Amino acid sequence: MDLVKLNVKTRCDMHLCRNLAEYRIAAGNGALSHLFGNAGLYLCHDCLVKLYEAIGKVIVPKSPDNLIKKAVKRRETNEEL
């Protein structure tokens, strides 16, 4: 799945949005290709931000381990060996 910046003028696909689309979500060969076809989903900047925020409420990224935790884990594994 790819996010493509558009050069052409087209309407946003979100319901009741009258803005011009700036981005296209291309499904490619993934699981959503049967929904969007070759065209993709066209979104304006505002709708893209709203979609990003809605996804962010459901899928929260895992924070990376800091350097101190990594060093402690490394020492524990070295002591066991």
Side-chain angles (χ1 to χ4, degrees):
M1 188 169 287
D2 297 321
L3 183 65
V4 180
K5 180 94 169 147
L6 295 176
N7 302 5
V8 296
K9 291 183 179 181
T10 185
R11 299 270 310 259
C12 181
D13 285 339
M14 294 304 265
H15 184 63
L16 298 177
C17 182
R18 295 178 179 253
N19 295 333
L20 290 176
E22 297 177 29
Y23 301 96
R24 177 173 67 98
I25 299 175
N29 294 332
L32 298 177
S33 62
H34 69 282
L35 292 176
F36 301 133
N38 292 334
L41 179 65
Y42 293 88
L43 297 172
C44 66
H45 180 74
D46 296 336
C47 291
L48 184 68
V49 170
K50 289 177 185 176
L51 180 65
Y52 176 75
E53 290 172 352
I55 291 172
K57 290 178 182 177
V58 177
I59 301 173
V60 180
K62 180 183 170 189
S63 61
D65 290 336
N66 63 22
L67 295 175
I68 297 172
K69 286 184 179 180
K70 285 182 183 178
V72 170
K73 285 182 183 178
R74 197 176 307 128
R75 277 191 223 130
E76 290 173 354
T77 57
N78 286 339
E79 289 175 359
E80 292 174 359
L81 299 174

